[in-house]
Amino acid sequence: MEVKTAGSVGEIYRISGPLVVAEGLKAKMYDVCKVGEDGLMGEVVGIRGDKILIQVYEDTSGIRPGEKVVNTGMPLSVELGPGMLGTIYDGIQRPLPALKEASGDFIGRGIEAPGLDRKKKWAFKPTVKKGDKVKGGDIIGVVKETELIAEHRILVPPNVSGTITEIYEGDFTVEDTIAVLDNGMELKLYHKWPVRIPRPYVEKLPPEIPLITGQRILDTFFPVAKGGTAAIPGPFGSGKTVTQHQLAKWADAQIIVYIGCGERGNEMTEVLEEFPELKDPRTGRPLMERTILIANTSNMPVAAREASVYTGITIAEYFRDMGYDVAIQADSTSRWAEAMREISGRLEEMPGEEGYPAYLASRLAEFYERAGRVKTLSGHIGSVTVVGAVSPPGGDFSEPVTQNTLRIVKVFWALDAKLAARRHFPAINWLQSYSLYADVLRPWFEKNVAPDWGELRNWAMEVLQEEANLQEIVQLVGSDALPDAQRILLEVARMIREIFLIQYAYDPVDTYCPLEKQYDMLKGIKMINDWMFKALEMGKTVEEIINVPGKEKFARAKFEENYKPIMEEALEEIRKNLLGE
Amino acid sequence: MGKEYKTITDIAGPLVFLEKTEPVAYGELVTITLPDGTTRRGQVLDTAKDFVVVQVFEGTRGLDKSCSVRFTGDVVKLNCSKDMLGRILSGSGDPIDGGPKIVPEERREIIGAAINPYARQYPREFIQTGISAIDGMNTLVRGQKLPIFSGSGLPHNDIALQIARQAKVRGTEEEFAIVFAAMGITYEEAHQFMKEFERTGALERAVVFLNLASDPAIERLITPRMALTAAEFLAYEYDYHILVILTDMTNYCEALREISAAREEVPGRRGYPGYMYTDLATIYERAGRIRGRKGTITQMPILTMPGDDITHPIPDLTGYITEGQIVLSRELHAKGIYPPIDVLPSLSRLMKEGIGKGMTREDHKEWNDQMYAAYAEGVDLRGLVAIVGEEALSERDRRYLKFADEFERRFVNQGKYEDRDIEYTLDLGWELLAILPEEELTKIRREYIEKYHPKYRKKKAEGEAEKAEAAA
């Protein structure tokens, strides 16, 4: 029989940083407790004899042994319903604007703030009627949440089913009853779900549709599938955060969940200030309307940082269950792993590699496994794509977090400090990175963009690989000593790097490159390549060929919205110069 | 006034263990009285019903089990007042300049609460430091935290002083002050700072916290927090723009490791505690601007990289929290270049919003990309020259080599008292870019090349002169 733990009261025995030990308390693992006179929120992370170990989400200074601890009996949960889009939360789903209202510019302690606005009314339109049988995950109606997400679909909580006896249309707050089931269960616009338990679905589907990001190196070379997993490891200063921001801005998911996990305060502010100004390239609406931000900066309590990742993915799963494509960015999973390490250390657990807990690998795997393209309980298809940034100490990819992440994820975007130092952005190393989806997604690209997409991509990759081999020789003897054909190849590789791969995140046009333009650019370079080799056969000197006029104009086409006329003009000029009329 | 206890059971390194106390709060301030009547201060690190662990800031030398321990019921606080300006305080906030006690307007907890990210304002006001390698290449803005990664024996102190002396936001005459916190630096170094502050009159608008190498190491854990509390008080109560210089963060981290070892905690990398990232973040993240408040806090922590190793945990974790870094190079220093800033690994994450039209100059962003790319190329070519000799290079490559040399000798190199304005820095950069063939300037748009490239400027100047002549 289950022991009732809700309402149980105990006493603090010991306080050591974010870890509080209580005694005389009835508790299950992961019960949420209110600790001390201030009622700080915490979560049970261990039980040793009669002592209960609680990790507290807020600063514990000033708390004394002997103060009371009250168990809520509930696991850490989030509120799922309309009103989340456009909001910024801390790691345990407290809206930061509400915290600011309660405690000013600095975050106070013991503040309770519900994740969803209790006063706001939403116009609810039922899509089922009296007498309909519903089961967990079914859609019973819709609410217009934002212009971008006009249909926030209201779901029956996954563990509830029955026949509808009452259902109402009209304006409701999230706490009003909108429907009643025959078993007496009242349904509301929201329900709660424990963050550490994945939400159920019918089945996982194979990933076969790419997540289009508008970033050339990602889409063309190392694509990620909707429902896939990707990792971006890189040393500091190599552009992880910019890449994550670019994905959050331009990825063609319907919902973006951005988790700032243990990162810089100013960077979250940047997102907050910038996103409402940015327009969705497809609909022209502010991007904030499809975005949920979770900000637990590095100086906010470490336990809440550990929880923030789960909070984020649970919210993502909720939107997936409505049949949406969701992309979640976790920046950075290393900070999350460090939070685990810190708490594990306080629990005096036996450490694994580099002091990380032995369960690091399984926790990372569990998290990434919550990604996927699924058939939802209501029969829709939705997906959660997870992109995790990794911040390896000293840029050393052999450290445990990077290694354990790479064992799980299918796409690896390796950031390179050397490229960053040369201001080659995005500083993604094309030789180290890989995408295991490239082959699965190839048919999609060939059907939807161009039939020779895969061929073109492989050609470009080969050129870059060949360039890397030649570079070693060039380092020794200089490029002038190479045979003519190889010198042309080096020039073509340079064009691929500098024209195609370098993409300016801060240029208003180049920041987002549609697939067609990506294809045209690469195709153009391939055409120039072919002409160059033909010109060589025709007896032109290699200097004439590699310095052919018109290249500069071709390079500038990427900064133009209407790039086609310029690109065609440039190509025509290059062709004439190489091959004559 | 709390109760006194004489129940010390163990003393280990900087820690004192007690038993049989009334409930003691976590983080509570503790006073320990020695048999000879002197007192030390400490803070509760761990508290339970039957034991308490106290870390003693001034060290445990001379302590024994007969010492009496008093829990004050209060957490560590700093006496804050506008009169702090011009004063020299110890690492734990007591005046050591022979002046009167500071009459507090307010007593503030030194553990600052986290700024709500929602309340922050994104920093975008350009600070001109007068140093080309910073202003041009890695621009500093108000509210940024930009550390200097140095090595032992490099002139980081001179650079910090030069920045403190020259830093200004152009076109404003706002209240500006410096909070300087020294942690474990030598008397000589401290003396250099003090002398310079006095000489330039900067001391009047500075608050100085001194924990010297001979002072207790544990005190270093509170010194930067004292300093930041003072900075927050002045910035948010009196609208000052504060530049906080923290030197040397490496000593702070050593103290952190010492405490961790004494508590027998599971060590992370190289013996530093697993929570060092979080701990450093609670210091660095106290920089910034808040919407609706006039004052700002800009941080410039200085740290010496052990063995010049940028992957060492101290610079590494710092780099992940701060908004960039200024890296000093032993090689440039050996070449006699001051400031020996190696721009390639250096970075300012906030510069993109602080430069450009209306802030510095319209061409700054693209100019910056081009300068970086060109210098990186030149430095790479040096490796090639070492193997094949300069004769084997193409004309283009030789120009890049020349660019890299001139970049170091003319652009990076400048006088300790040379205050270059941003236009001078940018124009100097253009002079260097003119060394390269014009078609290599692919990162700058045509319009700016024609406007700022010396070749066109000269032509334009000549053209105007001709016009003037013709008119005459």
Side-chain angles (χ1 to χ4, degrees), chain A residues 1-8 26-28 31 71 73:
Chain A
M1 219 195 87
E2 202 183 334
V3 185
K4 278 283 256 189
T5 56
S8 166
K26 274 191 222 152
K28 303 189 293 291
D31 274 355
N71 192 344

Side-chain angles (χ1 to χ4, degrees), chain A residues 11 13-15 23 62-63 65 96 105 107 237 262 264 266 273 335 342 392-394 422-423 475-476 506, chain B residues 24 26 46-50 114 116 122 277-278 285 293 316 319-323 349 352 372 380 384 388:
Chain A
E11 202 163 87
Y13 165 72
R14 177 183 176 189
I15 302 139
E23 53 187 13
I63 312 274
L96 289 177
D105 295 337
I107 295 176
R264 303 175 181 90
N266 278 332
E273 289 188 8
R335 304 292 158 243
E342 190 171 333
R422 293 170 155 267
R423 294 303 187 259
Q475 292 274 313
L476 290 177
Y506 301 114
Chain B
V24 171
Y26 178 74
D46 199 336
T47 169
K49 283 189 174 168
D50 41 18
N116 188 331
Y122 195 74
Y277 177 82
T278 309
E285 277 288 333
R293 300 199 192 215
D316 191 54
Y320 274 121
I321 305 165
T322 54
E323 285 129 356
R349 289 167 185 275
K352 63 178 193 295
Y372 256 104
D380 265 7
L384 184 59
V388 299

Side-chain angles (χ1 to χ4, degrees), chain A residues 229-250:
Chain A
T229 50
I232 318 182
F236 59 79
S238 56
K240 262 188 312 299
T241 303
V242 177
T243 310
Q244 289 272 39
H245 284 195
Q246 285 297 93
L247 287 172
K249 284 176 200 165
W250 309 125

Side-chain angles (χ1 to χ4, degrees), chain B residues 310-328:
Chain B
I310 199 168
T311 67
H312 184 281
I314 299 172
D316 191 54
L317 295 180
T318 299
Y320 274 121
I321 305 165
T322 54
E323 285 129 356
Q325 64 278 336
I326 301 289
V327 183
L328 304 191

Side-chain angles (χ1 to χ4, degrees), chain B residues 281-299:
Chain B
T282 58
I283 294 176
Y284 297 142
E285 277 288 333
R286 288 171 80 174
R289 311 175 55 182
I290 294 178
R291 265 187 286 152
R293 300 199 192 215
K294 280 201 192 122
T296 59
I297 297 176
T298 309
Q299 261 190 44

